[in-house]
Amino acid sequence: LRESEEQYRTIFETTGTATMIVEEDGVISMVSSEFEKIFGYTKEEIEGTHDWEKFILEDDLERMGEYHALRRNNPRAAPRNYEVRGIDKTGNRKDLLLTNSIIPGTKKSVVSMLDITDRKRAEEELALLATVIEQAAEGITITDKNGVIQYANPAFERISGYTREEMIGQNHRILKRSTHNGGLAPEMRDVLARGDVWSGYMINEKKDGKTYKVEVSVSPIWDNMGAIMNYVAIERDVTHEAELETQLRQVQKMEAIGTLAGGIAHDFNNILAAMMGYAEMALYDVPEGTQGRRNLEQVLKAGYRGKDLVKQIITFSRRGEQERRPMRVTPIAKETLKLLRASLPTTIEIRQNIEAQSGMVLADPTQIQQVLMNLCSNAAYA
């Protein structure tokens, strides 16, 4: 009998849970050492009392009483396990998994309470993390070591056009990923093989075949043994930003060309002024009707055309807001087309269909000219 009692006490003390024997009237007749560890109360403070409110929150006491009564009267009708909220001697909150069993042939209960506070906190953190990943604006995928997709969040579905079901189990090559140099860069494979984080830009292909540019960061996920078991990729669609960057570079290039052209135009204007001045003086010395006079008149005519062209270049390169004023678009259009003719390939033909008597508009001539230049340049490019 003593050996059986010693075995019973050994099991009672080494279950790893706060275990207690509860009499039919709710008096706690025995508690294990683990109870002292979890709640901070000594056995002497608890045994022989029914002071449940010391270590169980008041809101859960009534529910516990209902469970206990139901277990005694109809053990199959009540669950053996349920969660309650406890509190230790110092006031710290505890989350507990309570198990209630009836000792056969008696009205006594064996109540075990497992401290699941850390587990509950971890579950809440995991739930929060899962919510953040699911609602993130960036596309997130998790692959195994061989690049097989195991998880994709909704943002990645929106970016790629593939559903989660279509991607999971597929290799990441389904996206036909490549860097600017084509294929996956060797340095990327080397960085990941070392267990480091790789960041860069990639060109992916959507389900509908359209390409898009993404900024990607790929990180290894380690197991407890220090081995790489997965990779997580976070990517952001920067297609629109890349287009804006290209447009900005084009604008900057045009500004630089405009500044250069403006400086050259002023110098060229001075050269033209000298040429035209000497040509006009030479006309006074050449008789009417001679071939020499006709040649000088052609030089002057070409000089005036060059002067008008230089004037347009200076106007086009001028910065700052211009004043709107009543004007006709027709002369501006014709002058712009003359300016464009010199900059477009000879394989492109310019056909004009402009009404001679067009109405007046309130506009800035320079801006109208820039609009026409942009339209025609885009048309030539297309």
Side-chain angles (χ1 to χ4, degrees):
L1 188 61
R2 283 196 301 270
E3 289 177 357
S4 297
E5 186 177 351
E6 288 176 2
Q7 290 178 356
Y8 162 75
R9 283 189 175 275
T10 300
I11 294 172
F12 185 80
E13 292 289 346
T14 58
T15 56
T17 61
T19 308
M20 61 184 68
I21 303 296
V22 182
E23 303 297 325
E24 185 179 359
D25 58 0
V27 173
I28 302 168
S29 59
M30 186 185 298
V31 296
S32 66
S33 300
E34 190 68 24
F35 185 92
E36 295 179 294
K37 295 179 183 178
I38 293 177
F39 295 102
Y41 293 100
T42 64
K43 294 181 180 182
E44 290 74 18
E45 291 177 290
I46 298 298
E47 290 180 345
T49 73
H50 54 271
D51 297 338
W52 293 85
E53 67 275 3
K54 282 186 176 181
F55 53 91
I56 300 296
L57 290 183
E58 185 178 354
D59 293 344
D60 287 357
L61 279 175
E62 184 177 351
R63 185 160 59 93
M64 278 185 63
E66 294 174 355
Y67 275 124
H68 283 214
L70 189 59
R71 287 289 298 171
R72 288 194 203 94
N73 300 326
N74 189 359
R76 295 184 179 181
R80 291 186 65 241
N81 303 315
Y82 56 93
E83 292 184 15
V84 294
R85 294 168 299 166
I87 186 170
D88 65 14
K89 195 172 184 178
T90 59
N92 292 324
R93 159 83 179 273
K94 300 284 184 178
D95 290 303
L96 306 167
L97 179 63
L98 188 146
T99 303
N100 184 7
S101 301
I102 304 299
I103 299 176
T106 72
K107 291 293 185 179
K108 297 181 180 181
S109 301
V110 179
V111 178
S112 298
M113 287 181 286
L114 179 65
D115 187 355
I116 58 172
T117 306
D118 293 338
R119 190 180 81 186
K120 290 280 289 186
R121 187 178 296 115
E123 289 174 354
E124 291 172 358
E125 290 176 356
L126 284 174
L128 177 61
L129 179 60
T131 301
V132 170
I133 292 175
E134 285 287 304
Q135 298 181 9
E138 291 78 15
I140 300 174
T141 55
I142 298 176
T143 69
D144 63 11
K145 293 189 296 184
N146 299 317
V148 176
I149 298 173
Q150 297 178 332
Y151 169 82
N153 71 339
F156 193 83
E157 293 180 291
R158 292 193 300 270
I159 294 173
S160 67
Y162 289 96
T163 65
R164 198 177 309 196
E165 292 73 18
E166 290 173 323
M167 284 184 288
I168 292 178
Q170 298 287 336
N171 193 280
H172 65 80
R173 285 190 292 272
I174 189 176
L175 300 171
K176 299 180 181 176
R177 285 178 168 172
S178 65
T179 58
H180 291 296
N181 298 327
L184 292 180
E187 61 270 19
M188 175 187 176
R189 291 192 291 267
D190 295 340
V191 168
L192 294 179
R194 293 196 305 267
D196 296 330
V197 177
W198 182 87
S199 299
Y201 292 91
M202 283 186 173
I203 306 298
N204 290 352
E205 187 173 302
K206 294 187 177 184
K207 185 179 179 181
D208 59 8
K210 294 181 179 178
T211 58
Y212 62 101
K213 186 178 182 180
V214 290
E215 183 181 11
V216 186
S217 175
V218 184
S219 306
I221 302 175
W222 309 84
D223 61 15
N224 294 331
M225 303 299 293
I228 297 175
M229 61 179 184
N230 294 95
Y231 292 102
V232 58
I234 302 175
E235 57 185 62
R236 184 170 62 91
D237 189 347
V238 295
T239 307
H240 182 61
E241 295 177 15
E243 292 173 352
L244 292 177
E245 186 178 348
T246 302
Q247 293 176 10
L248 176 61
R249 284 199 298 268
Q250 183 66 19
V251 169
Q252 292 173 338
K253 183 171 69 173
M254 291 299 294
E255 288 182 353
I257 293 174
T259 302
L260 179 63
I264 295 174
H266 282 290
D267 293 337
F268 189 59
N269 210 25
N270 294 333
I271 296 172
L272 280 176
M275 292 171 57
M276 292 169 65
Y278 282 111
E280 287 175 349
M281 288 188 293
L283 282 175
Y284 290 109
D285 300 330
V286 179
E288 292 280 352
T290 61
Q291 185 61 39
R293 189 176 182 87
R294 285 193 293 271
N295 291 342
L296 287 173
E297 288 173 349
Q298 289 299 321
V299 170
L300 273 177
K301 187 177 179 180
Y304 282 116
R305 284 201 303 268
K307 183 179 178 182
D308 291 338
L309 182 60
V310 169
K311 181 181 177 182
Q312 293 300 321
I313 293 174
I314 294 174
T315 302
F316 181 73
S317 64
R318 190 165 59 237
R319 296 182 179 182
E321 291 293 329
Q322 305 295 322
E323 290 187 8
R324 294 184 178 185
R325 57 182 176 81
M327 56 162 285
R328 294 186 183 275
V329 179
T330 300
I332 296 293
K334 290 182 177 180
E335 291 174 1
T336 304
L337 293 179
K338 289 180 182 177
L339 186 62
L340 272 167
R341 179 66 276 174
S343 62
L344 295 179
T346 56
T347 54
I348 294 178
E349 179 185 355
I350 300 178
R351 296 180 183 175
Q352 302 182 33
N353 183 12
I354 304 173
E355 293 185 6
Q357 300 299 323
S358 60
M360 301 287 289
V361 296
L362 185 65
D364 169 22
T366 303
Q367 292 181 346
I368 292 294
Q369 187 177 50
Q370 288 174 349
V371 169
L372 293 171
M373 290 283 286
N374 290 335
L375 284 171
C376 295
S377 297
N378 289 342
Y381 177 76

